[in-house]
Amino acid sequence: KGLGQAPLARSLRVLNLSGNRFSEVPPALLQLRGLRSLSLGGNRLHGIPPDIQELHSLEFLYLGGNFITAIPPELAKLPSLRYLVLCDNKIQSIPPQLAQLHSLRSLSLHNNLLTYLPREILNLVHLEELSLRGNPLVVRFVRDLTYNPPSLQELAGRTVKTRNVPYTPSDLPDSLVRYLSLASNCPNPKCGGVYFDSCVRQIKFVDFCGKYRLPLMHYLCSPECSSPFSSASQSSTSQSESDSEDEASVAAHRMQKVLLG
């Protein structure tokens, strides 16, 4: 427990505790502010503590082969991190904040439970290695995702927002004013709609570094925005038509181009 105050703590740069039985990251390790490399692979970790952000000098973090289910956004506050290994865990999603790791060169996420990647990952312009093999997003792609029809409250909220119905805080209860402030704009440029809780999730394949096609999740306001027979799609540009063709022929040859690690 006193490791952080020991004389060794000031000079320690590399620490390898892989292949043990840690069920959590020992708090004492988070006091080793001079650490540049930390390896805790092959343990029994179920999570990453938010206080990991205190290790500002960390350049290499190895957490592969554990039982980690989620990545805390605080991990993105490691300004020097260049190599992040999270393979062989049970991670289901990547927080968009991870795009703030501007120094990141290598990201290993193979053998997890990822079904999509956040669009923000495209901001990792210095990334040289990205390993995704063994995830559902590589071996199969989400097609028919459940769409829950909007509630009456959401329908009313959409109408207020899309038609610019004027209102003041004195006109509505505070809860409805807050609700209306949570409206998200539909990313379909031909739509112009909004959504609150009810949306359609759709996989889009986007070029990454000129070499790969990444499956990223889009959130649309209604099924009409994603239907190839909708009026929006019929009036779309040739680029949109090209995207539709790409989505229809994802398997086989295109599957091989999606970062297999």
Side-chain angles (χ1 to χ4, degrees):
K1 292 182 178 180
L3 181 62
Q5 286 74 41
L8 174 66
R10 291 191 293 272
S11 59
L12 193 60
R13 297 292 180 266
V14 179
L15 180 60
N16 189 339
L17 294 173
S18 295
N20 284 284
R21 297 187 177 184
F22 291 110
S23 59
E24 62 180 20
V25 177
L29 300 186
L30 303 177
Q31 302 176 30
L32 303 175
R33 306 299 167 79
L35 270 186
R36 295 178 182 172
S37 176
L38 175 60
S39 298
L40 284 165
N43 279 281
R44 300 177 179 180
L45 304 178
H46 285 79
I48 305 172
D51 287 344
I52 193 78
Q53 64 181 317
E54 302 298 331
L55 301 179
H56 297 296
S57 300
L58 207 60
E59 299 177 5
F60 178 90
L61 179 59
Y62 190 102
L63 296 172
N66 282 285
F67 301 96
I68 297 170
T69 58
I71 303 173
E74 288 80 5
L75 190 64
K77 297 181 179 180
L78 298 176
S80 303
L81 194 63
R82 294 169 60 88
Y83 301 93
L84 177 58
V85 181
L86 294 167
C87 60
D88 299 294
N89 278 286
K90 299 181 181 298
I91 299 169
Q92 300 184 40
S93 63
I94 304 298
Q97 290 86 349
L98 219 61
Q100 300 170 16
L101 293 172
H102 301 301
S103 298
L104 200 63
R105 296 294 186 273
S106 177
L107 177 58
S108 296
L109 294 167
H110 53 270
N111 298 332
N112 276 285
L113 302 175
L114 298 172
T115 57
Y116 70 95
L117 298 176
R119 168 170 288 274
E120 288 79 3
I121 202 170
L122 297 177
N123 295 328
L124 295 174
V125 295
H126 298 295
L127 198 65
E128 299 172 355
E129 298 176 345
L130 176 59
S131 180
L132 294 171
R133 69 180 185 274
N135 281 282
L137 69 84
V138 173
V139 297
R140 62 179 175 84
F141 298 102
V142 180
R143 282 297 183 179
D144 298 321
L145 296 173
T146 302
Y147 173 66
N148 294 319
S151 63
L152 291 177
Q153 176 175 280
E154 174 152 352
L155 288 174
R158 291 187 181 195
T159 301
V160 170
K161 285 294 186 179
T162 56
R163 298 188 178 183
N164 294 318
V165 177
Y167 67 91
T168 64
S170 60
D171 297 328
L172 301 171
D174 291 341
S175 59
L176 290 182
V177 174
R178 287 194 298 269
Y179 180 78
L180 289 171
S181 68
L182 298 176
S184 299
N185 293 322
C186 182
N188 186 344
K190 301 294 183 180
C191 173
V194 300
Y195 64 88
F196 292 86
D197 302 312
S198 178
C199 62
V200 174
R201 294 176 297 169
Q202 183 183 48
I203 297 294
K204 288 280 188 178
F205 289 83
V206 180
D207 285 327
F208 181 65
C209 295
K211 297 189 296 184
Y212 306 108
R213 299 280 284 175
L214 289 185
L216 302 182
M217 185 70 80
H218 284 236
Y219 296 89
L220 304 170
C221 67
S222 69
E224 286 73 18
C225 285
S226 59
S227 171
F229 303 106
S230 66
S231 57
S233 295
Q234 290 173 354
S235 60
S236 62
T237 64
S238 58
Q239 178 62 45
S240 298
E241 294 172 357
S242 175
D243 288 343
S244 298
E245 292 175 1
D246 286 341
E247 292 170 18
S249 58
V250 162
H253 66 285
R254 200 168 298 280
M255 180 93 69
Q256 298 171 8
K257 297 182 67 178
V258 179
L259 300 176
L260 300 180

